Amino acid sequence: MAENKGLRINEQIRVREVRLIDDTGAQKGIVSTLEALRMAQDVNLDLVEVAPQADPPVCKILDYGKYRFELEKKLRDSKKKQKLQVLKEIRMQPKINDHDLSFKARHIQDFLDDGDKVKVTIRFRGRELAHTELGLDVLNNVLAKLGGDLIVEKSPTMEGRTMSMTLAPKSKK
């Protein structure tokens, strides 16, 4: 009985009077807790405290097992509709060919269309580190190829030997 997620049922309700809703959904008004319990037992159902913060608390006569099942079902359905946003990473070099850049831009667009965030990273090796403006040009070319249906969440910045930016899809609302 400890797993009832904060809902008090039957004898666990310790207040003098409650606002009662019967099994048909009709309001019975403010009734003593003992009277409400007796009414619930007469129809072989449970007295469940659905709004304990109200004054007086609101109790409903219903089948507790069925009620808990419905609550859990709603919770499962709401979790099904959630889309977990994943951070994908695309790596490039500052000396990237136009065709390769277009190919990677298409992949980035596919990830964004799926609702994922994309981290575009340019890795500098050796003397390339002296020309970070080439990497910035590559990132700007990527943005130009993708168009305007995205959000630049983190603008291009240097982090050690890499320059990266994070892109997110615009919400589909």
Side-chain angles (χ1 to χ4, degrees):
M1 267 251 191
E3 286 186 47
N4 55 10
K5 295 184 176 72
L7 295 175
R8 289 190 283 254
I9 60 170
N10 298 334
E11 286 79 23
Q12 294 175 346
I13 301 170
R14 297 267 183 235
V15 290
R16 183 176 294 144
E17 52 189 20
V18 295
R19 185 174 304 275
L20 184 65
I21 301 170
D22 69 359
D23 54 323
T24 61
Q27 296 236 359
K28 292 293 185 185
I30 297 173
V31 185
S32 75
T33 307
L34 292 173
E35 176 68 19
L37 260 171
R38 189 190 55 72
M39 291 171 71
Q41 288 169 349
D42 286 347
V43 289
N44 287 334
L45 293 175
D46 299 308
L47 183 67
V48 180
E49 194 176 42
V50 291
Q53 70 280 3
D55 187 34
V58 178
C59 290
K60 214 172 188 179
I61 296 176
L62 45 81
D63 182 1
Y64 180 67
K66 187 176 179 182
Y67 177 71
R68 222 174 85 202
F69 174 75
E70 293 295 329
L71 284 179
E72 288 172 2
K73 190 174 174 184
K74 280 182 193 172
L75 187 67
R76 277 196 309 271
D77 288 345
S78 70
K79 282 184 181 178
K80 268 185 204 170
K81 292 177 183 138
Q82 290 178 350
K83 167 95 171 67
L84 197 65
Q85 201 169 43
V86 181
L87 180 66
K88 304 279 189 169
E89 184 176 17
I90 298 283
R91 292 184 184 157
M92 302 180 202
Q93 290 185 339
K95 300 183 290 187
I96 190 168
N97 191 329
D98 283 339
H99 175 264
D100 294 338
L101 187 68
S102 300
F103 188 79
K104 298 242 182 187
R106 231 181 355 256
H107 274 287
I108 293 169
Q109 188 63 54
D110 290 343
F111 289 145
L112 290 171
D113 290 342
D114 288 342
D116 297 327
K117 289 183 182 181
V118 181
K119 181 177 182 181
V120 184
T121 305
I122 307 249
R123 193 176 59 238
F124 295 96
R125 295 187 327 211
R127 291 189 183 154
E128 292 173 347
L129 207 51
H131 301 287
T132 56
E133 70 278 357
L134 296 176
L136 190 61
D137 290 343
V138 170
L139 291 178
N140 287 334
N141 285 344
V142 167
L143 284 175
K145 287 186 185 298
L146 291 174
D149 57 334
L150 55 93
I151 300 167
V152 179
E153 219 172 61
K154 183 174 154 254
S155 57
T157 53
M158 280 297 291
E159 301 161 358
R161 291 184 155 272
T162 62
M163 177 182 281
S164 64
M165 70 176 174
T166 307
L167 307 172
K170 279 193 176 170
S171 60
K172 297 175 183 178
K173 292 178 182 170

